[in-house]
Amino acid sequence: EFVDNTFVWDRKWLTEFCDKVKKENLNIKWGCTGKIELMDESIMEKMTESGCEFVLYGIETGSNSMLRKIKKGFKKEQGQDILRKSLPYFTVMPSYIWGWPFESFSEFTETIEQYEESVKIGCWSILLILCPLPMSTIYKEYKHTLKFDGSLVTDKLKSPETKKMLDMIKAHPDIIQGFYYYDHEGFQEKYQYVIEKGHMKLNTPSAFLNGLEIFN
């Protein structure tokens, strides 16, 4: 897996890479992060021929108004089209995010609906709570709203062995932001909606906190 958000940005470089992997007959299987507005069927075919088996797309939201707010550079209709075109070539993994501090409830439900639609057409879709990233524009503006909610922690992590780790997380929000969310009006309503839909198991706090088990 190439963990590089710019992997497909340079079309000439990507084409040369695929051609060389195929020419050398390396027989490797690989995957990468794609970018909706840079993908088409010709490059998908070339990637597949060189061994690419999965592509992760950061769709982020199913709302056109939200896509404009976060400056993604494409519309949801384009995103849906590329997902469908990618499915014959790869395992397709679109990621969707909810919990934006400036996201209305209707924009939120549009995201949930598109996430569900992507699952129906055969994608391995991921739904996450927005993770605060240090020095990002959103973090700088909304870091005062950071909140840690113990109810987002799975029961098996509420043990004596992990209490010390959780105490550390709660004591240092400026260092370990990945366990927090941006609290805002409507967050709890969104949270309950996701739970009722049965999608909470893949949300960021649970996923991140499950990783603490490796230290037990």
Side-chain angles (χ1 to χ4, degrees):
E1 178 182 3
F2 293 99
V3 186
D4 179 358
N5 288 335
T6 69
F7 190 80
V8 302
W9 281 29
D10 187 332
R11 180 69 166 243
K12 181 176 181 293
W13 178 89
L14 179 58
T15 299
E16 291 175 353
F17 170 82
C18 292
D19 288 342
K20 288 179 180 180
V21 170
K22 185 178 178 181
K23 182 180 178 181
E24 293 293 330
N25 196 27
L26 298 179
N27 194 30
I28 60 172
K29 303 300 180 184
W30 58 277
C32 66
T33 299
K35 192 166 174 61
I36 290 295
E37 62 271 35
L38 299 179
M39 298 291 282
D40 57 42
E41 289 175 281
S42 63
I43 197 63
M44 293 177 194
E45 183 175 358
K46 188 167 286 290
M47 291 166 68
T48 301
E49 289 174 351
S50 68
C52 184
E53 291 193 328
F54 74 88
V55 172
L56 170 67
Y57 290 113
I59 303 291
E60 320 305 19
T61 173
S63 162
N64 276 330
S65 57
M66 279 296 296
L67 286 168
R68 288 193 296 273
K69 289 177 187 178
I70 62 176
K71 302 177 182 179
K72 284 299 292 183
F74 61 87
K75 293 184 177 180
K76 69 176 184 179
E77 293 80 11
Q78 184 182 1
Q80 291 167 325
D81 180 58
I82 292 298
L83 291 185
R84 291 181 183 278
K85 287 179 177 176
S86 297
L87 282 168
Y89 297 97
F90 322 109
T91 294
V92 182
M93 303 172 66
S95 68
Y96 297 90
I97 293 174
W98 69 275
W100 306 89
F102 43 77
E103 165 194 62
S104 70
F105 193 80
S106 62
E107 290 169 332
F108 158 75
T109 55
E110 284 186 84
T111 295
I112 302 303
E113 289 168 3
Q114 187 169 324
Y115 161 77
E116 293 174 338
E117 177 61 28
S118 68
V119 172
K120 288 179 183 178
I121 65 174
C123 296
W124 288 28
S125 304
I126 307 166
L127 180 65
L128 304 168
I129 296 174
L130 178 64
C131 177
L133 296 177
M135 303 310 294
S136 65
T137 301
I138 296 175
Y139 180 80
K140 290 176 181 178
E141 186 172 353
Y142 293 97
K143 65 179 179 179
H144 64 283
T145 69
L146 287 179
K147 185 174 181 179
F148 177 86
D149 187 341
S151 67
L152 300 181
V153 183
T154 58
D155 288 338
K156 60 185 175 181
L157 286 169
K158 297 175 182 178
S159 64
E161 291 80 9
T162 57
K163 184 179 184 302
K164 185 179 294 185
M165 298 177 202
L166 295 177
D167 288 344
M168 179 181 67
I169 290 166
K170 287 185 281 187
H172 300 285
D174 288 335
I175 300 174
I176 318 174
Q177 301 93 340
F179 296 92
Y180 288 73
Y181 66 90
Y182 295 111
D183 194 22
H184 58 274
E185 184 178 354
F187 178 86
Q188 290 301 325
E189 186 181 4
K190 296 172 185 176
Y191 176 54
Q192 290 303 318
Y193 187 92
V194 173
I195 289 178
E196 290 168 7
K197 285 281 190 175
H199 302 323
M200 190 57 201
K201 62 182 179 295
L202 287 178
N203 272 282
T204 300
S206 294
F208 271 86
L209 288 168
N210 280 335
L212 291 178
E213 291 182 289
I214 66 174
F215 297 108
N216 288 351

